[in-house]
């Protein structure tokens, strides 16, 4: 992963891959992204939407969400360094707060009352943790240590591999490099917990990891995202004109992982480039069989924009939150077409329950000086 100005402002390494400046992207999202628009909800749903209510509001960066079988909703305030729970009919309570100021809390999942989450320190230290039903917190794994030892995408080359030396020399020192290999960096952005293992979507490692019995291993490395460098892409990323017409292999940036009924993993990704519409349509969802002899990521659907969260229903319907496209879409099992479910401002994560969809929205509000956080956890009937 290569840092950009957004990385520091959002205090998160995945955010750095989105690229651009926070001010510009947030304004873009609030004013209406240049990404493809989605259809408005049917008029007949208006009455239902009025009846729906927020589970939580006034949140700072609620990027991660989980829902237990008893209806308890768990959600993070990533950049505030806190984790919260709200049981049906009760007030929300804080169940974990990072000890160090500036540490991020996210990557939330739940199973049988046990909550799995990750903390990412300001110095880059990433730790996978679990909170038991009794309220005790323990460390599952040091993901930084695994990344330093294994670096799953170490053999992958990103950028433009067939570039002439004189053209490569024209790439700005503070921008995207002409080409580079997978670097050592970890940022767990999502988890999925099963009876036997915890799966981690590591946005900086560009891989899905498995934690089992305290041991960390690589399930699969996500494939690079090939993008043709057009004049507009070159201008947006400050690439030299000699790169126009070439193919840039961007980092895939896994942002969520879910387990389907048959045990397959579904993973959402967004490319490590600008999400301001210049590269709209390069996010994707992949499927991985973790029990295969050599698990591989196979694309389920492409053509998405800033896919930051997903959910999978028991029937195999996939729901995807498109952050800067301002929408949640669904893909029926066996289909390669995404259909709009809801328009929403800056949706970050989405979860399926038999009664409703839950989603976090307005997830990047309150990050600019003089603004207030307006993040929400919303419940939508389906």
């Amino acid at each position: 992963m290569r840092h950009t100005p957004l990385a520091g402002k959002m205090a998160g390494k995945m955010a750095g891959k989105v690229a651009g400046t926070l001010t510009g992207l947030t304004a873009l999202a609030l004013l209406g992204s240049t990404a493809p628009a989605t259809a408005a909800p049917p008029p007949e749903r208006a009455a239902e939407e009025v009846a729906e209510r927020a589970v939580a509001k006034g949140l700072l960066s609620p990027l991660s969400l989980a829902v237990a079988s008893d209806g308890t909703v768990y959600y993070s305030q990533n950049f505030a360094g806190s984790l919260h729970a709200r049981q049906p009919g009760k007030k929300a309570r804080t169940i974990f707060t990072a000890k160090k100021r500036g540490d991020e809390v996210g990557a939330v999942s739940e199973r049988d009352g046990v909550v799995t989450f990750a903390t990412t320190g300001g110095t880059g230290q990433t730790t996978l943790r679990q909170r038991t039903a009794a309220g005790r917190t323990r460390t599952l794994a040091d993901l930084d240590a695994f990344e330093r030892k294994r670096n799953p995408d170490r053999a992958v080359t990103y950028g433009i591999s067939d570039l002439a030396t004189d053209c490569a020399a024209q790439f700005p020192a503070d921008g995207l490099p002409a080409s580079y290999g997978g670097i050592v960096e970890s940022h767990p952005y999502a988890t999925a917990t099963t009876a036997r293992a915890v799966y981690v979507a590591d946005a900086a490692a560009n891989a899905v990891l498995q934690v089992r019995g305290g041991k960390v291993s690589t399930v699969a490395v996500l494939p690079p995202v090939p993008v043709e460098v057009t004049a507009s892409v070159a201008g947006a990323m400050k690439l030299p004109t000699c790169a126009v017409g070439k193919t840039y292999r961007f980092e895939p940036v896994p942002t969520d992982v879910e387990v389907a009924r048959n045990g397959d993993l579904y993973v959402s990704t967004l490319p490590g480039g600008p999400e301001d519409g210049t590269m709209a349509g390069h996010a994707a969802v992949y499927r991985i069989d973790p029990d295969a002899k050599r698990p591989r990521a196979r694309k389920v659907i492409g053509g998405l924009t800033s896919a930051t969260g997903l959910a999978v229903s028991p029937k195999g319907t996939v729901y995807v939150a498109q952050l800067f496209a301002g929408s949640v879409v669904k893909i029926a099992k066996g289909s390669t077409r995404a259909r709009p479910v809801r328009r929403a401002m800056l949706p970050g994560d989405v979860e399926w329950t038999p009664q409703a969809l839950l989603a976090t929205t307005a997830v990047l509000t309150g990050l600019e000086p003089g603004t207030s956080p307006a993040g929400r956890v919303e419940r939508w009937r389906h």
Side-chain angles (χ1 to χ4, degrees):
M1 183 194 81
R2 294 289 170 171
H3 287 291
T4 67
L6 182 57
K9 289 188 177 182
M10 287 191 66
K13 295 177 184 176
M14 185 285 286
K17 290 183 174 181
V18 175
T21 64
L22 179 59
T23 301
L25 289 175
T26 303
L28 181 67
L30 294 174
L31 295 175
S33 172
T34 55
T38 57
E44 61 268 20
R45 296 204 58 181
E48 291 184 10
E49 292 175 15
V50 170
E52 295 168 354
R53 62 188 179 86
V55 175
K57 54 186 178 180
L59 306 177
L60 177 66
S61 58
L63 300 178
S64 191
L65 174 70
V67 185
S69 58
D70 66 356
T72 301
V73 179
Y74 298 92
Y75 56 92
S76 62
Q77 294 193 81
N78 284 51
F79 306 149
S82 58
L83 179 62
H84 311 269
R86 182 171 181 181
Q87 296 174 283
K90 296 184 179 181
K91 292 183 178 181
R93 56 195 177 93
T94 302
I95 61 173
F96 180 85
T97 302
K99 292 182 179 180
K100 294 182 180 179
R101 184 179 178 83
D103 281 7
E104 179 185 344
V105 174
V108 183
S109 61
E110 183 275 346
R111 178 181 172 85
D112 297 334
V114 177
V115 182
T116 301
F117 61 99
T119 57
T120 302
T123 58
Q125 184 178 359
T126 59
T127 304
L128 192 66
R129 304 172 185 266
Q130 278 189 333
R131 182 183 185 275
T132 68
R136 294 186 295 271
T137 300
R138 67 187 183 104
T139 297
L140 282 184
D142 182 341
L143 299 182
D144 261 334
F146 176 78
E147 175 69 10
R148 289 192 299 271
K149 183 178 181 179
R150 298 295 184 187
N151 187 17
D153 68 339
R154 63 190 179 280
V156 181
T157 298
Y158 302 106
I160 304 174
S161 57
D162 59 346
L163 203 61
T165 303
D166 60 342
C167 183
Q170 298 178 45
F171 277 64
D174 60 347
L176 288 171
S179 66
Y180 62 101
I183 63 176
V184 176
E185 201 160 25
S186 173
H187 183 210
Y189 196 72
T191 60
T193 307
T194 69
R196 68 174 187 174
V198 174
Y199 297 99
V200 183
D202 194 315
N206 298 318
V208 174
L209 311 177
Q210 175 184 271
V211 180
R212 187 176 183 181
K215 296 183 179 181
V216 186
S217 60
T218 303
V219 177
V221 175
L222 279 296
V225 182
V227 177
E228 180 184 356
V229 181
T230 62
S232 61
V233 169
M237 295 184 291
K238 299 180 180 180
L239 302 182
T241 55
C242 60
V244 174
K246 300 290 186 179
T247 296
Y248 199 101
R249 288 159 54 91
F250 284 92
E251 298 181 45
V253 194
T255 53
D256 202 354
V257 57
E258 295 287 349
V259 183
R261 176 171 282 183
N262 66 353
D264 284 355
L265 307 181
Y266 282 77
V267 184
S268 56
T269 67
L270 56 82
E275 288 290 317
D276 60 356
T278 306
M279 287 178 53
H282 290 286
V285 173
Y286 292 86
R287 178 176 57 82
I288 302 170
D289 177 0
D291 296 322
K293 186 176 181 179
R294 294 183 178 179
R296 294 180 57 192
R298 302 181 184 278
K299 187 179 289 186
V300 174
I301 185 172
L304 303 175
T305 297
S306 55
T308 51
L310 87 161
V312 182
S313 78
K315 292 184 178 181
T317 300
V318 178
Y319 297 85
V320 182
Q322 299 187 111
L323 181 65
F324 292 117
S327 69
V328 173
V329 297
K330 68 176 180 180
I331 303 98
K333 184 177 181 179
S335 175
T336 56
R337 182 178 179 183
R339 297 180 179 274
V341 175
R342 287 291 181 93
R343 288 191 300 180
M345 185 176 76
L346 298 170
D349 201 1
V350 60
E351 290 291 331
W352 182 93
T353 73
Q355 296 77 28
L357 288 178
L358 283 91
T360 60
T361 61
V363 297
L364 298 184
T365 58
L367 300 180
E368 289 294 282
T371 64
S372 299
R376 295 162 63 94
V377 177
E378 299 185 20
R379 179 182 286 110
W380 303 333
R381 297 176 185 174
H382 58 64

